[in-house]
């Protein structure tokens, strides 16, 4: 995702720079969630802790990346295909979510109002 965000800066323009910054931030946030889960992430981004939510998020980012340029098309296609794989994994009952997805799900519905 970060590589696709960097590729979005070219050709330089206001819209391409804004889209590139968003994609880079989303890519860094996704990478952070793979290694360490901040305490507020499960509350504000709970959709990233299921295969379906993460898959739709990846498909969305992949579709943002699809535009002119070979590098952007390659990056967007790879991210989109990974998103489709995540969505398919949601409907295969024998595949369990990884540990980082299960840990965040433990507090589901337990937040204070």
């Amino acid at each position: 995702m970060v590589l696709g965000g960097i590729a979005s800066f070219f050709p330089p323009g206001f819209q391409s720079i804004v889209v590139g910054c968003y994609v880079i931030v989303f890519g860094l946030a996704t990478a952070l969630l793979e290694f360490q889960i901040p305490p507020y992430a499960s509350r504000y981004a709970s959709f990233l802790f299921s295969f379906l939510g993460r898959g739709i998020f990846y498909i969305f980012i992949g579709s943002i990346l699809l535009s002119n340029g070979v590098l952007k098309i390659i990056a967007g296609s790879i991210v989109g295909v990974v998103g489709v794989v995540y969505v398919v994994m949601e409907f295969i009952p024998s595949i369990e979510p990884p540990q980082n997805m299960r840990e965040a799900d433990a507090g589901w519905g337990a937040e204070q109002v």
Side-chain angles (χ1 to χ4, degrees), residues 66-79:
L66 290 175
S67 64
N68 300 345
V70 175
L71 189 58
K72 291 187 235 178
I73 292 174
I74 291 171
S77 299
I78 290 171
V79 172

Side-chain angles (χ1 to χ4, degrees), residues 75-91:
S77 299
I78 290 171
V79 172
V81 167
V82 169
V84 170
V85 169
Y86 270 123
V87 169
V88 169
M89 286 173 33
E90 175 72 26
F91 299 105

Side-chain angles (χ1 to χ4, degrees), residues 32-54:
L32 173 71
L33 289 176
E34 289 296 328
F35 300 109
Q36 175 181 336
I37 301 174
Y40 54 84
S42 61
R43 181 174 182 156
Y44 295 111
S46 60
F47 63 93
L48 291 175
F49 298 105
S50 71
F51 286 136
L52 183 63
R54 191 174 285 198

Side-chain angles (χ1 to χ4, degrees), residues 17-40:
I17 291 173
V18 170
V19 169
C21 288
Y22 271 110
V23 173
I24 289 171
V25 167
F26 287 151
L28 292 174
T30 303
L32 173 71
L33 289 176
E34 289 296 328
F35 300 109
Q36 175 181 336
I37 301 174
Y40 54 84

